[in-house]
Amino acid sequence: ITLVDEGLAQLQSGLTELGFTPFPHRAPFLMVDLGKPSMGLVRTLYERQIYIQPGANWDLPTFVRISVGTEGDNDSFLSAVRDLTRGA
């Protein structure tokens, strides 16, 4: 429970800093609306061996589902998204 709570806080904070609005809840994952189709980010992260789910699986094509990982996993994800959004 502690790992999930801390991971959710870490991801919510990091994504908010990057200008995204994660939807808060108590599950061990976040849903985030990217405001544009999400498959490009999903594919790019996949190439970096970072795996997230496209919202298209739930008829939400601009969303992604991000599972809570370890602190290091979450840092890697946030760092990759930071790099990709700076280059966009």
Side-chain angles (χ1 to χ4, degrees):
I1 293 172
T2 300
L3 175 71
V4 170
D5 288 344
E6 290 173 354
L8 283 170
Q10 179 186 13
L11 290 170
Q12 287 173 336
S13 175
L15 289 165
T16 299
E17 287 176 15
L18 292 170
F20 298 106
T21 304
F23 291 84
H25 49 79
R26 294 289 305 143
F29 62 87
L30 293 173
M31 293 294 289
V32 180
D33 187 355
L34 302 178
K36 61 182 181 180
S38 64
M39 282 307 297
L41 178 66
V42 172
R43 285 187 188 114
T44 301
L45 291 175
Y46 180 84
E47 292 168 359
R48 295 179 181 211
Q49 298 183 349
I50 298 172
Y51 308 107
I52 62 174
Q53 295 292 316
N57 294 342
W58 301 278
D59 291 326
L60 300 167
T62 63
F63 282 72
V64 291
R65 178 189 183 276
I66 305 157
S67 295
V68 174
T70 65
E71 183 177 358
D73 293 337
N74 297 338
D75 281 339
S76 294
F77 165 75
L78 292 169
S79 178
V81 172
R82 187 174 297 110
D83 291 346
L84 293 170
T85 55
R86 284 186 184 148

